[in-house]
Amino acid sequence: MEEKNLDSERKQEELTWLENLQRNSWEPEVIISGITLAFLFAFPAKIYAFSATLVQEYGLHFLGAMLVLLYLSAMISVFKIFFVVHLVLRFIWAGLLGLSYAFPKGVIKENLFKMSQHYEYKKPSEMVLTMERICSMTFAYPISLVMIILIFTSYLGLLLIFYLYLNISFFIIYLIFVGSLLIFLVLTLVRKKTKWKGKSAKTIMASVVAIYQSNLGKWFSFIYGLGIFVLSIPLILTDVRDFSLFFNETDLLENEQKWPTKELSYVEFHTENTRYPRAYLSTEIVKGDILHLGIARYEGDDKFLKDLNSNFKKELDSLGWHPLEDTPDLYRFFIKEENLIPGNWRRNRINLSNQKVYETSINISHLPPGNYDILIEKIMVNYGLFSNAPTTIRHRKKWDEVSFIKE
């Protein structure tokens, strides 16, 4: 009997402790949401730089880096919206809490206009409790996404490791990625009862999903999550802006030529910890006769140089290209169809972003004062879809274009 009484008292204490935690849950919720948001708003720039580093320093195909950027940006943006919505709801809750303190009796019908006296109104305490449940529900929802994010992130990271260290064609990695997702989707829909489903159902994340579906409706969680994702789309588009410039193997897009981004083309406008995607000048307004030019270094350039010299000498001669002795020789520079001859190239590393670049000086003493555009061409190699064997030469006639003003 004594043991039963002790167990009963212990259970009662646990229930009381849990109830007290539930009543005061708003405090850790607000603190966690605020701290997490501060971290999340500072994170997109790091993700952008990380994705650019994968392309330039590790030789990851642009589409792979774009997938990483979109995935991480979507994940961060979705959580941003979740926590912003939660803080807004807590703001409303705080207002209703103050209202319940100022007017605990709620509506006094006798003091209303006659046309409004016939309706039933909620008491302030009821509104506070309702909003409290909504806030707690909103704060717990992201837990249901954690398992999916962890599995997907681990799988994506594993594929990237295979690509970078096993020298596999990116197209094969892409087929494996898409194919595995389709197979998983088919197995999930066809086989309703499996061992792994039974084990996963016992996890916290799966239980959270089941709680939402059983208490709020089967489709509520899906529609709510989809709505949050739709709201996060503008943030995602902002986070990936101008990333197409890091697609080393293509010409500039029409919009990139028409509306260039100054901070990516001039050192004087450059922001800290960002990377140059292509060519850049030290300043937009050049005083004197020397133009200081830089080119972002890409990991695949050394392979291009080797394969061009080995397999495409005739094509290079037909283009009238200068001898390829070093990776900067993959580029040609023109001002009004005049081929500019750069000086000696220097290999440098930018301290803040740790980016590898080539830098040189070009004599422009023969140019009169005015506005000029430097058109930059580049030659590269196209490789087979299922192998890394060189197939054709690529001549990009508008790889980049940078404007300057000579005083």
Side-chain angles (χ1 to χ4, degrees):
M1 292 292 291
E2 291 182 0
E3 291 181 358
K4 290 182 178 180
N5 291 333
L6 288 173
D7 291 338
S8 178
E9 290 178 1
R10 188 179 296 108
K11 290 180 179 178
Q12 187 62 38
E13 289 178 357
E14 290 175 353
L15 288 173
T16 303
W17 174 77
L18 180 59
E19 288 175 356
N20 289 331
L21 280 179
Q22 289 173 338
R23 292 192 192 100
N24 299 310
S25 65
W26 67 271
E27 294 178 347
E29 283 182 20
V30 173
I31 293 172
I32 292 171
S33 290
I35 294 175
T36 305
L37 272 177
F39 173 77
L40 292 178
F41 275 100
F43 209 59
K46 301 292 183 182
I47 295 174
Y48 194 96
F50 170 71
S51 302
T53 302
L54 289 177
V55 177
Q56 293 181 327
E57 303 295 334
Y58 296 96
L60 179 65
H61 193 279
F62 171 79
L63 294 179
M66 189 66 180
L67 176 62
V68 172
L69 178 59
L70 282 172
Y71 169 67
L72 294 177
S73 177
M75 184 177 65
I76 294 297
S77 299
V78 165
F79 277 96
K80 278 183 189 177
I81 299 297
F82 271 129
F83 290 115
V84 167
V85 169
H86 173 256
L87 287 179
V88 170
L89 292 174
R90 274 298 172 189
F91 175 79
I92 298 173
W93 170 83
L96 293 176
L97 188 64
L99 185 68
S100 67
Y101 176 78
F103 306 105
K105 294 182 179 180
V107 177
I108 303 174
K109 291 187 177 181
E110 292 78 8
N111 296 337
L112 294 175
F113 290 105
K114 288 185 178 181
M115 60 181 297
S116 302
Q117 292 179 2
H118 305 290
Y119 301 101
E120 292 297 325
Y121 300 92
K122 285 188 175 183
K123 294 181 180 179
S125 58
E126 293 177 355
M127 292 188 291
V128 171
L129 291 175
T130 300
M131 187 55 64
E132 171 66 28
R133 285 192 290 270
I134 293 174
C135 291
S136 297
M137 177 195 70
T138 304
F139 186 75
Y141 186 86
I143 297 175
S144 62
L145 304 176
V146 172
M147 180 61 73
I148 297 174
I149 290 173
L150 288 176
I151 293 174
F152 194 81
T153 303
S154 301
Y155 182 58
L156 186 60
L158 184 63
L159 290 179
L160 293 179
I161 290 173
F162 285 158
Y163 172 77
L164 293 175
Y165 292 99
L166 299 181
N167 198 26
I168 301 174
S169 169
F170 179 78
F171 186 70
I172 295 177
I173 295 293
Y174 177 77
L175 290 179
I176 293 173
F177 176 72
V178 175
S180 59
L181 291 182
L182 291 175
I183 292 172
F184 175 78
L185 180 61
V186 170
L187 291 177
T188 302
L189 295 175
V190 173
R191 303 186 65 182
K192 296 182 178 180
K193 292 183 179 181
T194 57
K195 290 184 178 180
W196 67 269
K197 284 186 179 181
K199 292 181 179 179
S200 63
K202 297 180 181 180
T203 62
I204 293 177
M205 280 65 72
S207 299
V208 171
V209 173
I211 289 172
Y212 275 103
Q213 290 181 355
S214 59
N215 286 274
L216 299 175
K218 296 179 180 179
W219 290 99
F220 176 83
S221 296
F222 174 76
I223 294 174
Y224 179 69
L226 182 62
I228 293 293
F229 178 76
V230 170
L231 290 175
S232 67
I233 288 177
L235 295 178
I236 298 172
L237 295 177
T238 300
D239 291 342
V240 303
R241 184 180 58 189
D242 290 327
F243 194 72
S244 57
L245 287 168
F246 290 91
F247 198 172
N248 176 45
E249 299 175 16
T250 62
D251 284 327
L252 287 177
L253 299 176
E254 182 179 350
N255 187 63
E256 293 166 348
Q257 296 181 53
K258 188 176 181 180
W259 300 100
T261 305
K262 277 193 173 185
E263 65 185 41
L264 300 178
S265 300
Y266 305 97
V267 176
E268 61 179 334
F269 301 117
H270 196 61
T271 55
E272 294 184 358
N273 298 320
T274 56
R275 301 176 69 88
Y276 293 107
R278 301 198 178 199
Y280 62 92
L281 301 177
S282 60
T283 180
E284 183 180 17
I285 301 176
V286 179
K287 299 179 180 179
D289 297 327
I290 301 299
L291 183 70
H292 299 285
L293 174 71
I295 297 285
R297 185 257 187 188
Y298 281 83
E299 177 63 26
D301 286 352
D302 294 329
K303 183 173 173 54
F304 289 152
L305 185 71
K306 180 180 178 181
D307 290 334
L308 284 167
N309 280 325
S310 302
N311 303 286
F312 301 100
K313 290 185 177 181
K314 292 182 179 180
E315 289 84 348
L316 291 173
D317 291 339
S318 65
L319 291 172
W321 208 274
H322 49 258
L324 298 179
E325 298 177 355
D326 200 357
T327 43
D329 295 328
L330 296 173
Y331 302 91
R332 287 198 305 197
F333 309 93
F334 295 89
I335 293 182
K336 295 181 179 179
E337 299 183 355
E338 177 190 354
N339 190 358
L340 299 178
I341 307 300
N344 293 329
W345 288 94
R346 302 179 300 277
R347 298 170 184 263
N348 292 322
R349 188 187 293 271
I350 300 173
N351 290 331
L352 294 175
S353 60
N354 201 34
Q355 180 180 5
K356 298 175 182 178
V357 296
Y358 308 111
E359 293 181 330
T360 188
S361 298
I362 299 177
N363 190 334
I364 56 171
S365 59
H366 62 288
L367 296 178
N371 299 333
Y372 295 96
D373 298 322
I374 302 179
L375 182 64
I376 303 173
E377 297 182 359
K378 184 175 183 179
I379 51 170
M380 292 168 282
V381 176
N382 188 32
Y383 298 95
L385 287 178
F386 297 98
S387 68
N388 288 323
T391 56
T392 56
I393 191 172
R394 285 182 173 180
H395 179 204
R396 298 309 183 195
K397 296 182 179 181
K398 290 186 178 180
W399 186 81
D400 201 4
E401 187 177 49
V402 188
S403 303
F404 70 92
I405 301 171
K406 183 182 178 183
E407 289 191 336

